[in-house]
Amino acid sequence: MDFTFTEEQQAAVEAARAVFSDVAPDRAPSPALTPGAVAEDIDRQLWNELARTDLLGLTLSPDHGGAGLDPIALCLVLRESAKVLARVPLLESCAVATAVQRYGGSTLAAELLPRAGRGELILTVGANGRSGHDPAELAVTARPYGENGENGENGTSAEGSGWVLDGVQSAVPWAQAADWIVIPAHTAGGRPVLALLPRTRDGVTLADQVSTSGERLAEVRLDGARVKAHELIDAPGCWEWLRSLLTTGTCALALGLGERVLAMTAEYTGKREQFGFPVATFQAVAVQAADRYIDLRAMEATLWQAAWRISSDAGGPLPTAADVAVAKIWASDGVRRVVQTAQHLHGGFGADTDYPLHRFHAWAKQIELSLGPAAAHEEALGDLLAAHPLG
């Protein structure tokens, strides 16, 4: 496998580093000291800067004002964003836009994508269902409507027809700041579909929730919310592909966060002295740090394998979902081990709220559990191996 990045992908990384260089992880109040959410809104200054440098349209085609790059480039930028705990819906908005470009109709794409690439529209997606343990599409039902009432499974037989959504999606990230929300749902025939609707549409209610990292989430309740026919995507595999991209992007966030935390740990243990020597020179400290470095390299290899499968649609002995599951297993377990070791090697200093490590620990726990912990993906991988025996 050759994981050499293209010149365009490397240019995206350099642009991202320039944007994030001025972002401090403690720009928002500490979640340890703040009851409720740390802020009411996203980091608008950073969002506008990402738009100005064209990083919000990386994966969009030039026809929509984008750079025409692939999900690998998005993961590279996400990796940099996690190093500063960037409080923006970069993953959700870009992933949704990419899915609309890939699976949506021309009307929907023209309505949303140019404005999303310019940062004028923020997109998010509910991927946790009602509880976070069951498939998200099962939490919401989509039934067709038309001028003449119920009109069959596809909801397109009458002018002005569309779909009615009922159900709940919990822990929707950045929903209060988003302009449009993507809701995975299922039809009466059991088909998974994606419905896109404005946050302010009738029948949509948001209730505040707070993440482990202190960011605002929302329980999105749908009570007879209507979407027009062109606002629903029912192409085969649309939700599975979007969920795979979201999961892989989460792995990129885990990698970037872990790399920053290990760098912080190396800097601290290189300066902290005991018995007249830096603690980094002690074998017990060095071995633990080396183990976490190995974790990060495994996280990196599995991340790029999954991102490559998504970007290239390349075949293999197992479906792409298997590579995504492996990447998330390593990301969830690896990022947890990295921050735990960092806390241990920092001693009491790691829990000091004047030092940013505790923030990284909170974000790491959120990332670890987002879109399923390691155990859930181990189960999914086992099912895939049973269905596609190797050898």
PDB file of all heavy atoms in Angstrom, residues 159-194:
ATOM      1  N   GLU A 159     -47.808  15.968  -8.262  1.00  0.00           N
ATOM      2  CA  GLU A 159     -47.112  17.241  -8.148  1.00  0.00           C
ATOM      3  C   GLU A 159     -47.251  17.764  -6.719  1.00  0.00           C
ATOM      4  O   GLU A 159     -48.321  17.717  -6.125  1.00  0.00           O
ATOM      5  CB  GLU A 159     -47.703  18.235  -9.139  1.00  0.00           C
ATOM      6  CG  GLU A 159     -46.981  19.574  -9.135  1.00  0.00           C
ATOM      7  CD  GLU A 159     -47.599  20.544 -10.105  1.00  0.00           C
ATOM      8  OE1 GLU A 159     -48.517  20.137 -10.839  1.00  0.00           O
ATOM      9  OE2 GLU A 159     -47.168  21.707 -10.129  1.00  0.00           O
ATOM     10  N   GLY A 160     -46.158  18.279  -6.165  1.00  0.00           N
ATOM     11  CA  GLY A 160     -46.200  18.768  -4.796  1.00  0.00           C
ATOM     12  C   GLY A 160     -46.119  17.677  -3.765  1.00  0.00           C
ATOM     13  O   GLY A 160     -46.411  17.902  -2.601  1.00  0.00           O
ATOM     14  N   SER A 161     -45.734  16.477  -4.182  1.00  0.00           N
ATOM     15  CA  SER A 161     -45.658  15.368  -3.242  1.00  0.00           C
ATOM     16  C   SER A 161     -44.349  15.416  -2.477  1.00  0.00           C
ATOM     17  O   SER A 161     -43.436  16.164  -2.801  1.00  0.00           O
ATOM     18  CB  SER A 161     -45.797  14.045  -3.981  1.00  0.00           C
ATOM     19  OG  SER A 161     -44.735  13.886  -4.909  1.00  0.00           O
ATOM     20  N   GLY A 162     -44.263  14.599  -1.442  1.00  0.00           N
ATOM     21  CA  GLY A 162     -43.058  14.544  -0.630  1.00  0.00           C
ATOM     22  C   GLY A 162     -43.180  13.483   0.432  1.00  0.00           C
ATOM     23  O   GLY A 162     -43.830  12.458   0.217  1.00  0.00           O
ATOM     24  N   TRP A 163     -42.568  13.761   1.586  1.00  0.00           N
ATOM     25  CA  TRP A 163     -42.495  12.761   2.647  1.00  0.00           C
ATOM     26  C   TRP A 163     -42.786  13.402   3.995  1.00  0.00           C
ATOM     27  O   TRP A 163     -42.492  14.579   4.207  1.00  0.00           O
ATOM     28  CB  TRP A 163     -41.116  12.116   2.668  1.00  0.00           C
ATOM     29  CG  TRP A 163     -40.802  11.360   1.411  1.00  0.00           C
ATOM     30  CD1 TRP A 163     -40.358  11.883   0.233  1.00  0.00           C
ATOM     31  CD2 TRP A 163     -40.923   9.955   1.219  1.00  0.00           C
ATOM     32  NE1 TRP A 163     -40.191  10.883  -0.688  1.00  0.00           N
ATOM     33  CE2 TRP A 163     -40.531   9.688  -0.120  1.00  0.00           C
ATOM     34  CE3 TRP A 163     -41.320   8.884   2.017  1.00  0.00           C
ATOM     35  CZ2 TRP A 163     -40.517   8.408  -0.654  1.00  0.00           C
ATOM     36  CZ3 TRP A 163     -41.309   7.596   1.495  1.00  0.00           C
ATOM     37  CH2 TRP A 163     -40.921   7.373   0.166  1.00  0.00           C
ATOM     38  N   VAL A 164     -43.339  12.603   4.897  1.00  0.00           N
ATOM     39  CA  VAL A 164     -43.604  13.025   6.265  1.00  0.00           C
ATOM     40  C   VAL A 164     -42.704  12.226   7.196  1.00  0.00           C
ATOM     41  O   VAL A 164     -42.647  10.988   7.106  1.00  0.00           O
ATOM     42  CB  VAL A 164     -45.089  12.809   6.644  1.00  0.00           C
ATOM     43  CG1 VAL A 164     -45.335  13.227   8.096  1.00  0.00           C
ATOM     44  CG2 VAL A 164     -45.999  13.587   5.713  1.00  0.00           C
ATOM     45  N   LEU A 165     -42.023  12.929   8.107  1.00  0.00           N
ATOM     46  CA  LEU A 165     -41.081  12.284   9.026  1.00  0.00           C
ATOM     47  C   LEU A 165     -41.619  12.319  10.446  1.00  0.00           C
ATOM     48  O   LEU A 165     -42.112  13.352  10.911  1.00  0.00           O
ATOM     49  CB  LEU A 165     -39.727  12.996   8.988  1.00  0.00           C
ATOM     50  CG  LEU A 165     -39.034  13.130   7.633  1.00  0.00           C
ATOM     51  CD1 LEU A 165     -37.714  13.858   7.801  1.00  0.00           C
ATOM     52  CD2 LEU A 165     -38.819  11.774   6.981  1.00  0.00           C
ATOM     53  N   ASP A 166     -41.497  11.185  11.127  1.00  0.00           N
ATOM     54  CA  ASP A 166     -41.864  11.086  12.541  1.00  0.00           C
ATOM     55  C   ASP A 166     -40.796  10.272  13.259  1.00  0.00           C
ATOM     56  O   ASP A 166     -40.385   9.207  12.775  1.00  0.00           O
ATOM     57  CB  ASP A 166     -43.226  10.403  12.713  1.00  0.00           C
ATOM     58  CG  ASP A 166     -44.374  11.247  12.207  1.00  0.00           C
ATOM     59  OD1 ASP A 166     -44.737  12.223  12.875  1.00  0.00           O
ATOM     60  OD2 ASP A 166     -44.906  10.920  11.118  1.00  0.00           O
ATOM     61  N   GLY A 167     -40.347  10.777  14.405  1.00  0.00           N
ATOM     62  CA  GLY A 167     -39.359  10.047  15.184  1.00  0.00           C
ATOM     63  C   GLY A 167     -38.407  10.977  15.903  1.00  0.00           C
ATOM     64  O   GLY A 167     -38.644  12.185  16.019  1.00  0.00           O
ATOM     65  N   VAL A 168     -37.300  10.405  16.377  1.00  0.00           N
ATOM     66  CA  VAL A 168     -36.344  11.158  17.194  1.00  0.00           C
ATOM     67  C   VAL A 168     -34.923  10.771  16.790  1.00  0.00           C
ATOM     68  O   VAL A 168     -34.630   9.585  16.585  1.00  0.00           O
ATOM     69  CB  VAL A 168     -36.529  10.865  18.699  1.00  0.00           C
ATOM     70  CG1 VAL A 168     -35.450  11.572  19.526  1.00  0.00           C
ATOM     71  CG2 VAL A 168     -37.908  11.294  19.160  1.00  0.00           C
ATOM     72  N   GLN A 169     -34.070  11.765  16.675  1.00  0.00           N
ATOM     73  CA  GLN A 169     -32.628  11.543  16.561  1.00  0.00           C
ATOM     74  C   GLN A 169     -31.970  12.273  17.731  1.00  0.00           C
ATOM     75  O   GLN A 169     -32.142  13.485  17.892  1.00  0.00           O
ATOM     76  CB  GLN A 169     -32.082  12.089  15.236  1.00  0.00           C
ATOM     77  CG  GLN A 169     -32.484  11.318  14.001  1.00  0.00           C
ATOM     78  CD  GLN A 169     -31.775   9.985  13.885  1.00  0.00           C
ATOM     79  OE1 GLN A 169     -30.769   9.736  14.554  1.00  0.00           O
ATOM     80  NE2 GLN A 169     -32.283   9.108  13.022  1.00  0.00           N
ATOM     81  N   SER A 170     -31.254  11.553  18.546  1.00  0.00           N
ATOM     82  CA  SER A 170     -30.626  12.163  19.718  1.00  0.00           C
ATOM     83  C   SER A 170     -29.172  12.518  19.432  1.00  0.00           C
ATOM     84  O   SER A 170     -28.548  12.007  18.504  1.00  0.00           O
ATOM     85  CB  SER A 170     -30.697  11.212  20.921  1.00  0.00           C
ATOM     86  OG  SER A 170     -29.920  10.057  20.676  1.00  0.00           O
ATOM     87  N   ALA A 171     -28.648  13.412  20.264  1.00  0.00           N
ATOM     88  CA  ALA A 171     -27.239  13.803  20.230  1.00  0.00           C
ATOM     89  C   ALA A 171     -26.791  14.229  18.839  1.00  0.00           C
ATOM     90  O   ALA A 171     -25.737  13.819  18.344  1.00  0.00           O
ATOM     91  CB  ALA A 171     -26.358  12.661  20.749  1.00  0.00           C
ATOM     92  N   VAL A 172     -27.587  15.088  18.202  1.00  0.00           N
ATOM     93  CA  VAL A 172     -27.221  15.612  16.882  1.00  0.00           C
ATOM     94  C   VAL A 172     -26.224  16.752  17.087  1.00  0.00           C
ATOM     95  O   VAL A 172     -26.538  17.752  17.741  1.00  0.00           O
ATOM     96  CB  VAL A 172     -28.457  16.107  16.125  1.00  0.00           C
ATOM     97  CG1 VAL A 172     -28.054  16.668  14.763  1.00  0.00           C
ATOM     98  CG2 VAL A 172     -29.467  14.976  15.961  1.00  0.00           C
ATOM     99  N   PRO A 173     -25.008  16.637  16.559  1.00  0.00           N
ATOM    100  CA  PRO A 173     -23.982  17.652  16.829  1.00  0.00           C
ATOM    101  C   PRO A 173     -24.263  18.965  16.124  1.00  0.00           C
ATOM    102  O   PRO A 173     -24.711  18.992  14.980  1.00  0.00           O
ATOM    103  CB  PRO A 173     -22.694  16.998  16.304  1.00  0.00           C
ATOM    104  CG  PRO A 173     -23.161  16.020  15.269  1.00  0.00           C
ATOM    105  CD  PRO A 173     -24.497  15.530  15.738  1.00  0.00           C
ATOM    106  N   TRP A 174     -24.027  20.060  16.851  1.00  0.00           N
ATOM    107  CA  TRP A 174     -24.085  21.412  16.306  1.00  0.00           C
ATOM    108  C   TRP A 174     -25.456  21.741  15.700  1.00  0.00           C
ATOM    109  O   TRP A 174     -25.571  22.633  14.853  1.00  0.00           O
ATOM    110  CB  TRP A 174     -23.010  21.620  15.239  1.00  0.00           C
ATOM    111  CG  TRP A 174     -21.683  21.046  15.568  1.00  0.00           C
ATOM    112  CD1 TRP A 174     -21.145  19.904  15.050  1.00  0.00           C
ATOM    113  CD2 TRP A 174     -20.694  21.556  16.487  1.00  0.00           C
ATOM    114  NE1 TRP A 174     -19.883  19.684  15.572  1.00  0.00           N
ATOM    115  CE2 TRP A 174     -19.576  20.674  16.451  1.00  0.00           C
ATOM    116  CE3 TRP A 174     -20.644  22.683  17.315  1.00  0.00           C
ATOM    117  CZ2 TRP A 174     -18.448  20.868  17.211  1.00  0.00           C
ATOM    118  CZ3 TRP A 174     -19.499  22.881  18.081  1.00  0.00           C
ATOM    119  CH2 TRP A 174     -18.427  21.986  18.024  1.00  0.00           C
ATOM    120  N   ALA A 175     -26.506  21.059  16.117  1.00  0.00           N
ATOM    121  CA  ALA A 175     -27.816  21.216  15.478  1.00  0.00           C
ATOM    122  C   ALA A 175     -28.354  22.639  15.631  1.00  0.00           C
ATOM    123  O   ALA A 175     -28.985  23.177  14.714  1.00  0.00           O
ATOM    124  CB  ALA A 175     -28.811  20.215  16.047  1.00  0.00           C
ATOM    125  N   GLN A 176     -28.128  23.255  16.781  1.00  0.00           N
ATOM    126  CA  GLN A 176     -28.668  24.601  17.008  1.00  0.00           C
ATOM    127  C   GLN A 176     -28.019  25.632  16.084  1.00  0.00           C
ATOM    128  O   GLN A 176     -28.614  26.671  15.792  1.00  0.00           O
ATOM    129  CB  GLN A 176     -28.470  25.023  18.466  1.00  0.00           C
ATOM    130  CG  GLN A 176     -29.272  24.211  19.470  1.00  0.00           C
ATOM    131  CD  GLN A 176     -28.544  22.959  19.916  1.00  0.00           C
ATOM    132  OE1 GLN A 176     -27.560  22.546  19.308  1.00  0.00           O
ATOM    133  NE2 GLN A 176     -29.008  22.355  21.006  1.00  0.00           N
ATOM    134  N   ALA A 177     -26.798  25.358  15.638  1.00  0.00           N
ATOM    135  CA  ALA A 177     -26.100  26.283  14.747  1.00  0.00           C
ATOM    136  C   ALA A 177     -26.316  25.938  13.281  1.00  0.00           C
ATOM    137  O   ALA A 177     -26.006  26.754  12.402  1.00  0.00           O
ATOM    138  CB  ALA A 177     -24.600  26.271  15.051  1.00  0.00           C
ATOM    139  N   ALA A 178     -26.837  24.756  13.001  1.00  0.00           N
ATOM    140  CA  ALA A 178     -26.973  24.301  11.616  1.00  0.00           C
ATOM    141  C   ALA A 178     -28.171  24.950  10.937  1.00  0.00           C
ATOM    142  O   ALA A 178     -29.170  25.291  11.572  1.00  0.00           O
ATOM    143  CB  ALA A 178     -27.104  22.779  11.574  1.00  0.00           C
ATOM    144  N   ASP A 179     -28.054  25.092   9.634  1.00  0.00           N
ATOM    145  CA  ASP A 179     -29.174  25.581   8.831  1.00  0.00           C
ATOM    146  C   ASP A 179     -30.029  24.424   8.316  1.00  0.00           C
ATOM    147  O   ASP A 179     -31.245  24.541   8.246  1.00  0.00           O
ATOM    148  CB  ASP A 179     -28.647  26.406   7.656  1.00  0.00           C
ATOM    149  CG  ASP A 179     -27.855  27.617   8.114  1.00  0.00           C
ATOM    150  OD1 ASP A 179     -28.469  28.555   8.637  1.00  0.00           O
ATOM    151  OD2 ASP A 179     -26.621  27.598   7.961  1.00  0.00           O
ATOM    152  N   TRP A 180     -29.387  23.321   7.956  1.00  0.00           N
ATOM    153  CA  TRP A 180     -30.079  22.131   7.472  1.00  0.00           C
ATOM    154  C   TRP A 180     -29.601  20.924   8.263  1.00  0.00           C
ATOM    155  O   TRP A 180     -28.429  20.835   8.634  1.00  0.00           O
ATOM    156  CB  TRP A 180     -29.794  21.902   5.982  1.00  0.00           C
ATOM    157  CG  TRP A 180     -30.537  22.839   5.070  1.00  0.00           C
ATOM    158  CD1 TRP A 180     -30.354  24.187   4.961  1.00  0.00           C
ATOM    159  CD2 TRP A 180     -31.566  22.488   4.139  1.00  0.00           C
ATOM    160  NE1 TRP A 180     -31.208  24.697   4.018  1.00  0.00           N
ATOM    161  CE2 TRP A 180     -31.961  23.687   3.496  1.00  0.00           C
ATOM    162  CE3 TRP A 180     -32.193  21.295   3.788  1.00  0.00           C
ATOM    163  CZ2 TRP A 180     -32.949  23.720   2.510  1.00  0.00           C
ATOM    164  CZ3 TRP A 180     -33.175  21.329   2.803  1.00  0.00           C
ATOM    165  CH2 TRP A 180     -33.552  22.532   2.176  1.00  0.00           C
ATOM    166  N   ILE A 181     -30.516  20.001   8.502  1.00  0.00           N
ATOM    167  CA  ILE A 181     -30.209  18.774   9.234  1.00  0.00           C
ATOM    168  C   ILE A 181     -30.557  17.582   8.347  1.00  0.00           C
ATOM    169  O   ILE A 181     -31.635  17.547   7.738  1.00  0.00           O
ATOM    170  CB  ILE A 181     -31.004  18.693  10.548  1.00  0.00           C
ATOM    171  CG1 ILE A 181     -30.698  19.897  11.441  1.00  0.00           C
ATOM    172  CG2 ILE A 181     -30.692  17.397  11.296  1.00  0.00           C
ATOM    173  CD1 ILE A 181     -31.544  19.965  12.699  1.00  0.00           C
ATOM    174  N   VAL A 182     -29.646  16.642   8.271  1.00  0.00           N
ATOM    175  CA  VAL A 182     -29.904  15.394   7.551  1.00  0.00           C
ATOM    176  C   VAL A 182     -30.421  14.363   8.548  1.00  0.00           C
ATOM    177  O   VAL A 182     -29.800  14.132   9.594  1.00  0.00           O
ATOM    178  CB  VAL A 182     -28.631  14.876   6.856  1.00  0.00           C
ATOM    179  CG1 VAL A 182     -28.873  13.508   6.255  1.00  0.00           C
ATOM    180  CG2 VAL A 182     -28.200  15.846   5.776  1.00  0.00           C
ATOM    181  N   ILE A 183     -31.537  13.750   8.206  1.00  0.00           N
ATOM    182  CA  ILE A 183     -32.161  12.762   9.069  1.00  0.00           C
ATOM    183  C   ILE A 183     -32.210  11.419   8.350  1.00  0.00           C
ATOM    184  O   ILE A 183     -32.902  11.276   7.331  1.00  0.00           O
ATOM    185  CB  ILE A 183     -33.592  13.187   9.451  1.00  0.00           C
ATOM    186  CG1 ILE A 183     -33.589  14.532  10.188  1.00  0.00           C
ATOM    187  CG2 ILE A 183     -34.268  12.101  10.299  1.00  0.00           C
ATOM    188  CD1 ILE A 183     -32.923  14.518  11.539  1.00  0.00           C
ATOM    189  N   PRO A 184     -31.465  10.405   8.818  1.00  0.00           N
ATOM    190  CA  PRO A 184     -31.661   9.061   8.269  1.00  0.00           C
ATOM    191  C   PRO A 184     -32.992   8.499   8.747  1.00  0.00           C
ATOM    192  O   PRO A 184     -33.376   8.688   9.905  1.00  0.00           O
ATOM    193  CB  PRO A 184     -30.476   8.273   8.824  1.00  0.00           C
ATOM    194  CG  PRO A 184     -30.057   9.014  10.044  1.00  0.00           C
ATOM    195  CD  PRO A 184     -30.405  10.457   9.826  1.00  0.00           C
ATOM    196  N   ALA A 185     -33.706   7.860   7.855  1.00  0.00           N
ATOM    197  CA  ALA A 185     -35.031   7.336   8.180  1.00  0.00           C
ATOM    198  C   ALA A 185     -35.255   6.053   7.393  1.00  0.00           C
ATOM    199  O   ALA A 185     -34.419   5.645   6.576  1.00  0.00           O
ATOM    200  CB  ALA A 185     -36.107   8.369   7.852  1.00  0.00           C
ATOM    201  N   HIS A 186     -36.401   5.406   7.643  1.00  0.00           N
ATOM    202  CA  HIS A 186     -36.746   4.202   6.884  1.00  0.00           C
ATOM    203  C   HIS A 186     -38.179   4.316   6.395  1.00  0.00           C
ATOM    204  O   HIS A 186     -39.038   4.902   7.046  1.00  0.00           O
ATOM    205  CB  HIS A 186     -36.564   2.942   7.739  1.00  0.00           C
ATOM    206  CG  HIS A 186     -37.544   2.814   8.860  1.00  0.00           C
ATOM    207  ND1 HIS A 186     -37.407   3.501  10.059  1.00  0.00           N
ATOM    208  CD2 HIS A 186     -38.690   2.092   8.985  1.00  0.00           C
ATOM    209  CE1 HIS A 186     -38.408   3.206  10.860  1.00  0.00           C
ATOM    210  NE2 HIS A 186     -39.211   2.355  10.232  1.00  0.00           N
ATOM    211  N   THR A 187     -38.410   3.748   5.231  1.00  0.00           N
ATOM    212  CA  THR A 187     -39.746   3.747   4.648  1.00  0.00           C
ATOM    213  C   THR A 187     -40.522   2.539   5.160  1.00  0.00           C
ATOM    214  O   THR A 187     -39.988   1.686   5.875  1.00  0.00           O
ATOM    215  CB  THR A 187     -39.653   3.687   3.124  1.00  0.00           C
ATOM    216  OG1 THR A 187     -39.115   2.406   2.734  1.00  0.00           O
ATOM    217  CG2 THR A 187     -38.753   4.790   2.579  1.00  0.00           C
ATOM    218  N   ALA A 188     -41.792   2.460   4.745  1.00  0.00           N
ATOM    219  CA  ALA A 188     -42.620   1.321   5.159  1.00  0.00           C
ATOM    220  C   ALA A 188     -42.040   0.005   4.664  1.00  0.00           C
ATOM    221  O   ALA A 188     -42.223  -1.041   5.289  1.00  0.00           O
ATOM    222  CB  ALA A 188     -44.048   1.509   4.634  1.00  0.00           C
ATOM    223  N   GLY A 189     -41.334   0.059   3.550  1.00  0.00           N
ATOM    224  CA  GLY A 189     -40.707  -1.155   3.031  1.00  0.00           C
ATOM    225  C   GLY A 189     -39.360  -1.466   3.640  1.00  0.00           C
ATOM    226  O   GLY A 189     -38.708  -2.441   3.259  1.00  0.00           O
ATOM    227  N   GLY A 190     -38.912  -0.626   4.591  1.00  0.00           N
ATOM    228  CA  GLY A 190     -37.644  -0.879   5.273  1.00  0.00           C
ATOM    229  C   GLY A 190     -36.437  -0.272   4.597  1.00  0.00           C
ATOM    230  O   GLY A 190     -35.305  -0.485   5.046  1.00  0.00           O
ATOM    231  N   ARG A 191     -36.620   0.499   3.518  1.00  0.00           N
ATOM    232  CA  ARG A 191     -35.477   1.105   2.835  1.00  0.00           C
ATOM    233  C   ARG A 191     -34.912   2.265   3.646  1.00  0.00           C
ATOM    234  O   ARG A 191     -35.663   3.148   4.064  1.00  0.00           O
ATOM    235  CB  ARG A 191     -35.891   1.643   1.459  1.00  0.00           C
ATOM    236  CG  ARG A 191     -36.152   0.593   0.418  1.00  0.00           C
ATOM    237  CD  ARG A 191     -36.415   1.233  -0.941  1.00  0.00           C
ATOM    238  NE  ARG A 191     -37.562   2.137  -0.911  1.00  0.00           N
ATOM    239  CZ  ARG A 191     -37.503   3.422  -1.228  1.00  0.00           C
ATOM    240  NH1 ARG A 191     -36.355   3.982  -1.548  1.00  0.00           N
ATOM    241  NH2 ARG A 191     -38.599   4.169  -1.210  1.00  0.00           N
ATOM    242  N   PRO A 192     -33.593   2.319   3.863  1.00  0.00           N
ATOM    243  CA  PRO A 192     -33.001   3.501   4.497  1.00  0.00           C
ATOM    244  C   PRO A 192     -32.926   4.651   3.509  1.00  0.00           C
ATOM    245  O   PRO A 192     -32.551   4.465   2.346  1.00  0.00           O
ATOM    246  CB  PRO A 192     -31.614   3.021   4.919  1.00  0.00           C
ATOM    247  CG  PRO A 192     -31.299   1.885   4.013  1.00  0.00           C
ATOM    248  CD  PRO A 192     -32.608   1.251   3.637  1.00  0.00           C
ATOM    249  N   VAL A 193     -33.292   5.835   3.958  1.00  0.00           N
ATOM    250  CA  VAL A 193     -33.257   7.034   3.122  1.00  0.00           C
ATOM    251  C   VAL A 193     -32.653   8.174   3.931  1.00  0.00           C
ATOM    252  O   VAL A 193     -32.517   8.090   5.157  1.00  0.00           O
ATOM    253  CB  VAL A 193     -34.677   7.424   2.635  1.00  0.00           C
ATOM    254  CG1 VAL A 193     -35.251   6.346   1.719  1.00  0.00           C
ATOM    255  CG2 VAL A 193     -35.615   7.679   3.818  1.00  0.00           C
ATOM    256  N   LEU A 194     -32.304   9.240   3.234  1.00  0.00           N
ATOM    257  CA  LEU A 194     -31.791  10.447   3.879  1.00  0.00           C
ATOM    258  C   LEU A 194     -32.718  11.603   3.552  1.00  0.00           C
ATOM    259  O   LEU A 194     -32.972  11.894   2.370  1.00  0.00           O
ATOM    260  CB  LEU A 194     -30.378  10.776   3.377  1.00  0.00           C
ATOM    261  CG  LEU A 194     -29.259   9.822   3.763  1.00  0.00           C
ATOM    262  CD1 LEU A 194     -27.956  10.230   3.071  1.00  0.00           C
ATOM    263  CD2 LEU A 194     -29.067   9.792   5.267  1.00  0.00           C
TER     264      LEU A 194
END
